[in-house]
Amino acid sequence: TNLVVILLIIMLTQSSRSLAFFASNLGKTRQFQMATTTTRSFGLQTVSFDDVISSPKSKTAKLVQNLLTKRKKRVEAQQTVVEGPRMVFDMLENPTTNSLVRQLLVSVDDYQEQYQDRLESLSLASEDEVSLQLVTPELLNTLSDTVTPQGIMAIVDIPEMDVVVADDKDVTPIYLVLDGVSDPGNVGTLLRSSLAVGCAGVLLLPGSCDPWSPKAVRSSMGASFQLPIVQAPNWESGFKVLQEEWGVEAVYAATMIEGDNDDDESSSSSSQAHFSIDWQGKASALVIGSEGNGLSEAVRASIHDKDTKMVKAVHVPMCAGIESLNAAVCGSVILFEYSRQCSSTV
């Protein structure tokens, strides 16, 4: 009899614990199911919460992997990927870029803990549907191109923007030409500086990094989505675009170091200090060369072309002992001199 009583007590105790565990997790279970099966709206957007994706072989996961790793796929799809809450929400909250966002991928854990309220409070201008897909934290970490993923990324369209030509600008415009700048960090930084000073357009020459690569996009902090970017197959074609289509009247090629061309300062090809140029005098273009080799041979030949006389060398003066500046630093210093001169004439 005593043994039976003891067994009954043990059974009742285990049942009570099971009931308590079920009751404590019931709310969480219901909350998760609601997040993955219901449809919610923010602003004019309808966001579908489908089943949580966990497989790297899923169609969505493969698309993200291709866009992050293959330039050809980005060109074919005319899409790229942005990562992290700052860039994703900057794009969603900016009326000039929110229509580019096609799909959001959010870690299910981070969605419930960090992003749900902010996403549902958004008010977007576009009427196109933006899909919000929940994924497992493990899958998002696998897909991410960053060292410390922050639980959110977006597939976005690469914009097609018209370059504002010289005649259409209230102020004298400047255009940026990247002549084989291959480092994505430098490309992103230069695009960010270009947007900051109101650059009218960017021209990419062969050898330049893809401005839509993950690192370049992160370095630009979204500037690449707000600038007209055009690619040229060579310097000759690019020069024609600058002169005939964009109305550029003067081209200044950064030599990185003073006296890079001729020792004779009176020579037409001698380098001028960036602050001695009247950037407001006429529509101009600034050419920045590659990190290792500087300007390409084709651009250098244009500087020495006595018939053209439209391409000149420019440099940022430095103290003795410094060989050259980083490409992004050199370009940014010159761009902000243009901006300073614009501000002083207002």
Side-chain angles (χ1 to χ4, degrees):
T1 302
N2 291 338
L3 180 60
V4 172
V5 172
I6 292 172
L7 289 173
L8 287 172
I9 292 172
I10 292 173
M11 291 173 65
L12 288 171
T13 302
Q14 290 178 338
S15 297
S16 299
R17 288 175 179 173
S18 297
L19 287 170
F21 175 83
F22 176 77
S24 64
N25 288 276
L26 181 60
K28 295 180 181 179
T29 303
R30 286 179 176 172
Q31 181 182 10
F32 176 78
Q33 289 176 342
M34 179 177 291
T36 58
T37 60
T38 63
T39 298
R40 296 177 182 269
S41 298
F42 54 89
L44 298 175
Q45 302 294 309
T46 299
V47 179
S48 300
F49 289 81
D50 302 320
D51 294 335
V52 177
I53 294 179
S54 60
S55 172
K57 296 182 179 180
S58 67
K59 183 178 179 180
T60 300
K62 288 182 178 180
L63 174 60
V64 171
Q65 289 173 329
N66 284 332
L67 294 178
L68 284 172
T69 59
K70 300 176 181 178
R71 181 173 187 168
K72 182 179 178 181
K73 294 296 183 181
R74 290 192 290 270
V75 173
E76 290 176 354
Q78 281 299 288
Q79 291 182 323
T80 188
V81 176
V82 298
E83 292 191 60
R86 181 174 177 181
M87 280 200 63
V88 170
F89 282 104
D90 279 352
M91 290 201 68
L92 287 170
E93 293 167 352
N94 187 334
T96 63
T97 59
N98 60 25
S99 62
L100 299 174
V101 181
R102 296 272 67 87
Q103 185 174 29
L104 299 175
L105 278 74
V106 186
S107 162
V108 63
D109 291 350
D110 290 294
Y111 170 75
Q112 295 183 16
E113 295 173 4
Q114 299 185 58
Y115 303 131
Q116 181 174 359
D117 292 340
R118 191 172 179 184
L119 286 170
E120 293 179 358
S121 67
L122 287 172
S123 178
L124 306 185
S126 173
E127 295 184 0
D128 296 332
E129 182 177 86
V130 177
S131 169
L132 196 161
Q133 176 65 62
L134 296 180
V135 302
T136 61
E138 294 77 16
L139 177 59
L140 192 135
N141 291 343
T142 300
L143 296 176
S144 176
D145 187 65
T146 61
V147 178
T148 54
Q150 295 178 277
I152 188 169
M153 61 174 59
I155 298 173
V156 299
D157 290 340
I158 293 174
E160 294 183 6
M161 302 175 65
D162 294 329
V163 175
V164 180
V165 298
D167 293 340
D168 297 334
K169 294 279 287 184
D170 293 331
V171 297
T172 306
I174 191 171
Y175 302 87
L176 177 68
V177 181
L178 301 185
D179 180 24
V181 181
S182 59
D183 181 79
N186 284 338
V187 169
T189 300
L190 284 165
L191 292 177
R192 195 174 179 184
S193 295
S194 297
L195 182 64
V197 304
C199 185
V202 178
L203 182 69
L204 302 180
L205 297 181
S208 297
C209 166
D210 178 12
W212 310 110
S213 66
K215 188 174 180 180
V217 168
R218 288 197 300 274
S219 297
S220 76
M221 287 304 297
S224 49
F225 298 100
Q226 302 176 65
L227 281 169
I229 301 175
V230 177
Q231 299 195 26
N234 50 56
W235 168 240
E236 182 180 0
S237 298
F239 186 73
K240 287 183 178 179
V241 169
L242 293 171
Q243 189 176 26
E244 298 176 10
E245 297 183 23
W246 295 0
V248 169
E249 299 178 69
V251 177
Y252 296 96
T255 59
M256 303 296 184
I257 53 177
E258 186 174 357
D260 185 61
N261 298 288
D262 290 319
D263 293 332
D264 181 7
E265 292 186 1
S266 64
S267 170
S268 61
S269 60
S270 61
S271 182
Q272 305 174 66
H274 71 294
F275 53 75
S276 68
I277 294 172
D278 179 11
W279 296 100
Q280 285 295 286
K282 59 183 70 175
S284 58
L286 171 65
V287 185
I288 299 296
S290 68
E291 296 84 352
N293 301 317
L295 299 170
S296 63
E297 290 298 325
V299 174
R300 286 182 179 274
S302 296
I303 297 174
H304 295 278
D305 189 341
K306 296 181 180 180
D307 295 327
T308 305
K309 295 183 180 180
M310 183 176 166
V311 184
K312 300 179 180 180
V314 64
H315 68 274
V316 177
M318 298 176 292
C319 295
I322 302 298
E323 181 182 353
S324 64
L325 291 175
N326 168 277
V329 173
C330 176
S332 296
V333 169
I334 298 173
L335 286 171
F336 276 95
E337 170 59 21
Y338 159 81
S339 179
R340 185 194 68 78
Q341 291 186 21
C342 288
S343 300
S344 65
T345 59
V346 175

